[in-house]
Amino acid sequence: MNRRVVDKSAVKRSAERSTRVSAKLEGRVVPREFVRSPKVEKFVAARTRRAS
């Protein structure tokens, strides 16, 4: 299989779509206007793997 370059915005859209579908399957709803708290953003940033 050949490697492909994927636009970051495409990856973000895919993750958002996956999150919405998963929430729907689990019977919960994530509002579009939902904003993470600064504390959660910090936690997620610390857990995110950095590309090197």
Side-chain angles (χ1 to χ4, degrees):
M1 183 177 279
N2 295 333
R3 290 184 146 252
R4 295 182 184 176
V5 177
V6 180
D7 185 32
K8 286 184 180 183
S9 64
V11 173
K12 184 174 180 178
R13 284 191 314 269
S14 175
E16 289 173 356
R17 184 174 52 244
S18 175
T19 301
R20 281 193 308 271
V21 171
S22 177
K24 186 175 180 181
L25 286 172
E26 294 173 1
R28 55 189 178 84
V29 177
V30 179
R32 278 198 175 273
E33 65 276 358
F34 178 78
V35 179
R36 290 180 178 153
S37 69
K39 185 176 180 179
V40 171
E41 286 291 347
K42 185 177 177 182
F43 173 77
V44 170
R47 301 279 300 177
T48 303
R49 185 180 304 168
R50 304 282 189 242
S52 46

